[in-house]
Amino acid sequence: MRIKTNELTGAALDWAVAKCEGRQEPEVVNNFAVAWYTWPNTHYSTDWAQGGPIIEREDISFRKYHRPDSEAHGKYYARVCRESGTLVGWHKTTGFQQTGPTPLIAAMRCYVASKLGDDIDIPEELTP
């Protein structure tokens, strides 16, 4: 099933990250993305020990939006910034930028979008 990267959550987001990590075609077992040769359950979007190294390696920056009068108040924004010495621009129209309710979810959506695009195909059993 085709889904927008900015709508990925839970097992679907973890499955997409595992795919980006080159885990071939990650299997889905009991609603978890199972990487074929590593740990039994992947939780990139909720476990900093798994998602953190990706954020560091891929140069993903994030910030929390603070503006109580806005719908975006409290959301986290993440974007890839690979150019050394450049300032991170937070314009809505530039780069691979994604949002999420937590910094880790925003960062993993950003990573998936940078590798697979804004829309991806995921296994039917992972759709909400």
Side-chain angles (χ1 to χ4, degrees), residues 75-126:
K75 282 186 183 177
Y76 287 88
Y77 286 77
R79 63 173 291 125
V80 174
C81 185
R82 290 197 177 100
E83 295 179 30
S84 180
T86 60
L87 294 175
V88 177
W90 293 103
H91 306 290
K92 292 181 181 180
T93 59
T94 60
F96 296 109
Q97 180 170 291
Q98 294 289 320
T99 64
T102 69
L104 204 46
I105 289 173
M108 293 303 100
R109 286 175 176 171
C110 180
Y111 176 53
V112 171
S114 73
K115 300 294 183 186
L116 303 176
D118 291 329
D119 299 289
I120 66 167
D121 290 314
I122 62 167
E124 193 72 32
E125 53 268 9
L126 293 177

Side-chain angles (χ1 to χ4, degrees), residues 21-124:
E21 286 290 280
R23 306 288 195 250
Q24 290 190 1
E25 199 65 28
E27 295 180 49
V28 177
V29 177
N30 295 330
N31 219 21
F32 287 102
V34 178
W36 69 279
Y37 66 86
T38 57
W39 49 85
N41 297 316
T42 56
H43 300 284
Y44 299 103
S45 65
T46 57
D47 184 349
W48 281 94
Q50 293 180 23
I54 295 170
I55 292 169
E56 184 176 1
R57 183 188 72 225
E58 298 296 320
D59 292 324
I60 297 172
S61 298
F62 51 87
R63 71 175 180 102
K64 187 174 185 178
Y65 191 73
H66 293 283
R67 192 167 164 196
D69 61 335
S70 170
E71 281 183 27
H73 178 69
K75 282 186 183 177
Y76 287 88
Y77 286 77
R79 63 173 291 125
V80 174
C81 185
R82 290 197 177 100
E83 295 179 30
S84 180
T86 60
L87 294 175
V88 177
W90 293 103
H91 306 290
K92 292 181 181 180
T93 59
T94 60
F96 296 109
Q97 180 170 291
Q98 294 289 320
T99 64
T102 69
L104 204 46
I105 289 173
M108 293 303 100
R109 286 175 176 171
C110 180
Y111 176 53
V112 171
S114 73
K115 300 294 183 186
L116 303 176
D118 291 329
D119 299 289
I120 66 167
D121 290 314
I122 62 167
E124 193 72 32

Side-chain angles (χ1 to χ4, degrees), residues 3-14 45 101 105 109 126 128:
I3 189 168
K4 292 193 173 299
T5 305
N6 66 0
E7 295 173 357
L8 289 171
T9 59
L13 179 55
D14 293 329
S45 65
I105 289 173
R109 286 175 176 171
L126 293 177

